[in-house]
Amino acid sequence: MSQVKRVYTFGNKKAEGRADMKNLLGGKGANLAEMCLLGLPVPAGFTITTDVCNEYYKNNHTLPPELMTEVWDAMKKTEEIMNMKFGDPENALLVSCRSGARKSMPGMMDTVLNIGLCSATIPGFLKKTNNPRFVWDSYRRLIMMYADVVMEKADGAEPAEGKGIRKLLDEKLDEFKKEKGYNSDTEITADELKFLSEEFKKIIQRTLGKPFPDDAKEQLEGGIKAVFKSWNGKKAVSFRRIEGIPDDWGTAVSVQSMVFGNMGDSSATGVAFTRNPATGDNLFYGEWLVNAQGEDVVAGIRTPNPLNDETKNEQNVHLHSMHEAMPKTYEELVEIREILEKSFHDMLDIEFTIQEGSLYMLQCRVGKRTGTAALNMAMEMLHEGLIDEKTVVLRVDPKQLDELLHPICNPEAEARVSPVVKGLPAGPGASTGKVVFTAEDAVAWQRKGEKVILLREETNPEDVEGMRAAAGILTARGGMTSHAALVARGWGKCCIVGAGALNVDSARKTARIAGSDIVIKEGDVLTLNGTKGNVYTGEVELMDATENPKFQEFMTIVDKYRKMGVRTNAETPEDASLARSFGAEGIGLFRTEHMFYGKGSETPLFLLRKMILSSNLSERRGALDELYPYVKKDMKNTLEAMDGLPVTFRLLDPPLHEFVPQGAEKQEELAKSLGINKEDIAKRGEALHESNPMMGHRGVRLGITFPEISEMQIRAIFESTVELINEAKDPHPEIMVPVTGDVAELDFTRKIVDRVYAEVCKKFGVKEIEFKYGTMIEIPRACLLSDRMAKTAQFFSFGTNDLTQMTFGYSRDDTGGFLHDYLDKNILAADPFQTIDQDGVGQLIKMSVDKGRATRPDLKVGICGEQGGDPASVEFCFKTGLTYVSCSPFRVPIARLAAAQSSIRFGK
Ligand code: ADP
Ligand code: MG
Ligand code: MG
């Protein structure tokens, strides 16, 4: 007698399993048991555990010897409930053999129906049912499925495309129908189905070199093994890789008495959602087919009928609904819908079959839904009293929130087209427009009232205006943190980067798509799905993700449970206000240099260049004085927009040579203004050249060499603050020093802060200006020495873009060349520039927080890298004790939700 229980029975309102036993019984097996316990009509059967799947693989593809004894014992119980016998010549019970993993893997594994039909049982079955057409139809279905799933796929045979046994049998069937002039399977007569079955068996023997088993027991054992084998089928394995499902979860096998939807016009099969999965509307939603079995509804052989009026659409409006055709059974199903929702407290996806007027439930599981539907349903269920507030917060996947903030492709329209090229989903939502190849064209065309897609090899800061003007951005090169991606996400603009198959010829204004003969020309219409990274030619209909009052209500509940702060990365009053409307509680990163790009940047950029190319202190001071009012205005406006909330100003960060003018015209203009000749300008520019600027003269190092640059910015911060206070405002500035690796750098800069502070106080006659002084932590050395850094710094903000770059030693602008290989070949589980590498970079962050707080217990700690809006990274930040995360405006709601979920899941 074996100690482990390998088989769990269900049927007749009893069950050995339960809904919460999904790990052992798979989702399908656990919920079949639960439905029995709820008293629903479920054909009896039993489930073989997922552990057996692992045993099967450990034992070199053999079933544990005790298993089949347990199976036949369980079969006996099933037979008693069903009052039939498996393999019996007079009163045969047929079963299905169904796969079911812990998490739903739709269509990835196999199921075989009608097991138990063979020469020993068919005559009795014919007599009992008195329905030869049904019997032979079931038999030919069994043969087709069994040959495909058990005899071919599970046996590891890999026939060439279109040469599989299923295909050969399908062809035979089609040929036959054509010969007879039939349009539908339902026209084939009983005798013809019998004939076809014999033909099928011959084709199987010929193709696979073995006979279709004519023994019920052998069929069942083969079916069980085939389901286990399908766990390691190609499709299932790659699905697991994508979804991150571990191999050792295994699949369960549910063996279940067959009920038949193909017994005639009072029989049917169908699928339904207890609420509309696209909108969340509280309306029963589904499809069904009369006289059909199994996958017929989803296979698209016939247009399925609508379940009810609510499900009618253009395609099926002429077909009668189940509500009309079988009102009594429909009412029964409506009752079951209620019972299920009350028990599962969620929207479910169900499968049912009607055999000669009797309704049977074959499956239920929590249904997949859109972001809009998830939110709407959660709010409605709260008001119905079906779920509590915490559950509401956990019901919406933070990634899905994106959908609610941007226009999207109409899913139905998108399903009808296929992408011509794919890239990385860098900016969310969808956009459609005419292609232009330069930023100038984007601006010009937009002025004419055109919607444009800006298509570039890659973007650089000079393209910003064009990117702003474009409805969508598409680049051939660059990763998720490339310039285009960062900027687009910041604006919540649709953007696809790194579409490597695009060969862009900017001069000719064309882009060829490698591996096809498609050439995209200026003015061609493209549609981008930035959430998926898909590019379509032509226009795909877009949908407005409309302002939704439920969204506001939902976010209020979210904030009730959130403990960690959420700020935004923003540099303009517009972005600051937008982020505020999305719930940002301050600015975690204001990049001073932003004012030198894009709209209105002409003059400040000119003055900055003048400063950069100055050859001595007095020239430089002169240029800085001219620049000062622009810097101050920017800072003041942003502080004002964030009135009452903190704004973290980062001192100038990028290497100066990035701003050296390249064009002759600009150089000349500068030369004139500086009173020197063009050659000198070029020389001074060359002197700033660096071979590795990202690790060169940048960040705090600029202020060490040129303290007057820091001084000017610090003065702008303090003066704007005092001016705003005098205007009865409530500014909260924070000064942040970038790219530090030693506390001495912070001490050096702090001296400048103190000096300027005293000067400003004196000038305005004030005693005190409230501010904080801190640093960005983005160099591993700063993490190692965080206890010292915290002596001077009142706050840390992890710049996880640079920190990741320096910890991995990957230049983040160059990951396009290799990172996809690292991901494809499973060397890295995820792009560390998108989600914090918790194993490596995360360890540095944790150490830094611990060391910093050992020195200064009230140290404020935040993160302002791109990962700040990534739900998994937010969760990590919460667990690590960060005070806040900061992300681009459109990600603020996502971060708020992720933070609230972390509090509920991991909070004390
Ligand atoms: P999947 O996991 O791919 O959905 P299922 O195991 O649910 O596969 O089987 C597919 C379909 O086969 C079901 O939706 C149902 O219609 C039909 N089916 C499975 N088992 C039975 C059964 N015992 N009686 C009648 N139909 C069944
Ligand atoms: Mg199913
Ligand atoms: Mg940085």
Side-chain angles (χ1 to χ4, degrees), residues 400-465:
Q400 287 189 314
L401 266 194
D402 240 11
E403 286 173 33
L404 291 138
L405 305 169
H406 305 282
I408 53 170
C409 279
N410 181 331
E412 282 175 21
E414 193 175 11
R416 289 194 291 267
V417 291
S418 36
V420 288
V421 58
K422 286 183 168 209
L424 300 171
S431 64
T432 180
K434 292 183 179 165
V435 173
V436 293
F437 287 85
T438 68
E440 295 80 64
D441 287 342
V443 174
W445 287 45
Q446 190 237 9
R447 288 223 178 99
K448 287 187 299 184
E450 298 278 11
K451 290 189 85 183
V452 298
I453 302 287
L454 177 61
L455 199 170
R456 303 278 296 152
E457 177 74 26
E458 60 188 336
T459 68
N460 57 52
E462 279 158 28
D463 291 334
V464 164
E465 270 313 283

Side-chain angles (χ1 to χ4, degrees), residues 553-608:
E553 206 188 328
F554 174 75
M555 292 309 291
T556 309
I557 300 175
V558 163
D559 282 344
K560 214 161 124 185
Y561 293 91
R562 176 168 62 87
K563 299 207 183 76
M564 186 166 59
V566 176
R567 297 194 190 180
T568 192
N569 302 344
E571 292 83 12
T572 63
E574 298 83 57
D575 280 354
S577 308
L578 177 69
R580 248 192 127 139
S581 74
F582 284 149
E585 297 161 315
I587 289 181
L589 177 64
F590 176 102
R591 303 175 185 92
T592 329
E593 58 275 13
H594 186 85
M595 64 182 297
F596 304 118
Y597 305 116
K599 201 165 97 197
S601 67
E602 276 283 289
T603 314
L605 181 61
F606 178 77
L607 294 170
L608 178 78

Side-chain angles (χ1 to χ4, degrees), residues 343-374:
S343 167
F344 284 84
H345 307 283
D346 207 342
M347 182 272 276
L348 298 157
D349 152 355
I350 61 176
E351 296 176 359
F352 62 91
T353 281
I354 300 157
Q355 176 178 326
E356 301 192 304
S358 304
L359 175 67
Y360 295 94
M361 294 303 296
L362 291 176
Q363 192 173 334
C364 77
R365 68 185 157 208
V366 169
K368 294 240 187 314
R369 62 203 69 185
T370 65
T372 311

Side-chain angles (χ1 to χ4, degrees), residues 105 111-112 114 136 217 235 237 270 280 421 594 712-713 716 748 773 792 796 848:
M105 295 169 60
T111 283
V112 187
N114 305 336
W136 294 115
K217 286 193 167 185
K235 271 192 300 184
V237 171
V421 58
H594 186 85
M712 181 272 291
Q713 296 173 80
F748 180 94
Y773 180 69
T792 304
F796 288 173
S848 172

Side-chain angles (χ1 to χ4, degrees), residues 101-116:
R102 221 184 263 196
K103 244 171 113 177
S104 149
M105 295 169 60
M108 294 300 136
M109 290 186 297
D110 293 312
T111 283
V112 187
L113 307 181
N114 305 336
I115 289 176

Side-chain angles (χ1 to χ4, degrees), residues 785-812:
L785 300 178
S786 285
D787 44 348
R788 293 192 209 161
M789 305 294 279
K791 281 192 184 136
T792 304
Q794 294 167 298
F795 66 88
F796 288 173
S797 178
F798 291 98
T800 42
N801 297 339
D802 272 306
L803 186 59
T804 299
Q805 157 165 283
M806 304 217 208
T807 304
F808 275 86
Y810 298 165
S811 156
R812 77 172 137 120

